[in-house]
């Protein structure tokens, strides 16, 4: 029983070859210097980003353009991931669409390598049966690259703080008369009196 428990605790996790995120690296072997180009369109199953701010929606796709290189300690993956993000302008609140291109670079360590022995799994990902799972690496890179305050244009003027209308839709010289608080009561009294009809003389 104790032996079975030990085997269960130390069982190597398996990767699903049917997943578009899982890449077989066997053709690279462990010969440092060998490389392989990889282009792939991967469907987004759950939204990436910050809801109501900017996200890459479920049902869209991430376009991967990567290079896999065999190095001494593992397989180095580098390249780009691109996608279309949708969100709301932080200034004028209009909907926006933004093309996002993210640089990706990650080393996947060989089992038994010095890198694997000296790092934790949450620091450096590992190869499993000569396969790598790109999803955590790409998802993290994409989410971190999305802007926290997206803008429809760099020079978006936002909304008028007084009436809430977009500055881009307002006439030149638009403004609101501001009354000194010290005179506000007097102006209010004047407006009230202006609406009263004069009595008989």
């Amino acid at each position: 029983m104790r032996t079975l428990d030990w085997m269960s605790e130390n069982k190597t996790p398996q990767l699903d070859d049917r997943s578009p995120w899982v890449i077989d690296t066997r053709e690279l072997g462990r010969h440092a210097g060998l490389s392989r180009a990889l282009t792939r369109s991967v469907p987004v199953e759950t939204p990436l980003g910050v809801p109501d701010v900017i996200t890459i929606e479920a049902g869209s796709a991430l376009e991967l353009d990567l290079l896999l290189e065999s190095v001494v300690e593992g397989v180095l993956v580098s390249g780009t991931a691109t996608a279309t993000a949708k969100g709301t302008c932080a200034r004028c609140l209009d909907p926006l669409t933004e093309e996002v291109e993210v640089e990706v670079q990650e080393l996947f360590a060989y089992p038994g390598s010095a890198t694997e022995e000296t790092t934790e799994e949450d620091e450096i990902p590992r190869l499993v049966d000569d396969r790598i799972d790109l999803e955590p690496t790409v998802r993290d890179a994409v989410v971190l690259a999305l802007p926290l305050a997206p803008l429809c244009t760099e020079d978006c003027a936002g909304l008028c703080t007084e009436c809430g209308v977009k500055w881009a839709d307002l006439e030149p010289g638009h403004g609101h008369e501001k009354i000194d608080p010290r005179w506000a009561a007097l102006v209010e009294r004047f407006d009230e009196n202006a609406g009263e009809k004069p009595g008989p003389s």
Side-chain angles (χ1 to χ4, degrees):
M1 184 68 176
R2 186 174 299 174
T3 302
L4 292 176
D5 289 343
W6 181 89
M7 291 176 64
S8 175
E9 291 174 1
N10 292 273
K11 185 178 179 181
T12 301
Q14 299 298 308
L15 300 181
D16 186 354
D17 286 333
R18 295 170 298 179
S19 170
W21 293 104
V22 174
I23 309 300
D24 191 335
T25 69
R26 283 178 294 183
E27 67 182 64
L28 294 176
R30 289 202 179 190
H31 305 290
L34 295 181
S35 63
R36 168 193 168 194
L38 172 71
T39 56
R40 182 171 293 190
S41 181
V42 181
V44 176
E45 295 183 355
T46 57
L48 301 176
V50 181
D52 301 323
V53 177
I54 188 165
T55 59
I56 297 172
E57 299 178 341
S60 59
L62 277 166
E63 304 297 333
L64 306 181
D65 186 3
L66 305 172
L67 180 67
L68 281 60
E69 299 176 86
S70 180
V71 296
V72 174
E73 292 295 305
V75 174
L76 179 65
V77 177
S78 56
T80 60
T82 58
T84 301
K86 295 184 178 181
T88 303
C89 178
R91 292 179 185 167
C92 70
L93 307 182
D94 273 1
L96 60 83
T97 300
E98 182 174 329
E99 295 301 313
V100 179
E101 180 174 293
V102 181
E103 294 291 330
V104 175
Q105 187 172 66
E106 187 73 89
L107 173 67
F108 290 79
Y110 288 134
S113 66
T115 298
E116 184 199 42
E117 294 174 356
T118 57
T119 61
E120 299 294 332
E121 286 191 32
D122 58 355
E123 293 180 271
I124 301 292
R126 275 61 165 152
L127 276 89
V128 178
D129 295 331
D130 295 312
R131 293 167 174 79
I132 59 178
D133 182 5
L134 294 172
E135 183 173 13
T137 296
V138 174
R139 288 175 65 94
D140 288 350
V142 169
V143 170
L144 289 174
L146 292 174
L148 295 177
L151 300 176
C152 57
T153 61
E154 289 297 326
D155 59 351
C156 175
L159 306 174
C160 172
T161 56
E162 295 293 329
C163 62
V165 177
K166 286 176 59 177
W167 280 107
D169 296 337
L170 294 170
E171 295 292 332
H174 172 78
H176 296 270
E177 184 179 359
K178 294 184 178 180
I179 301 174
D180 189 313
R182 294 171 296 180
W183 295 98
L186 182 60
V187 171
E188 182 179 350
R189 182 64 180 274
F190 177 80
D191 289 341
E192 290 176 355
N193 291 339
E196 295 178 359
K197 293 182 178 179
S201 55

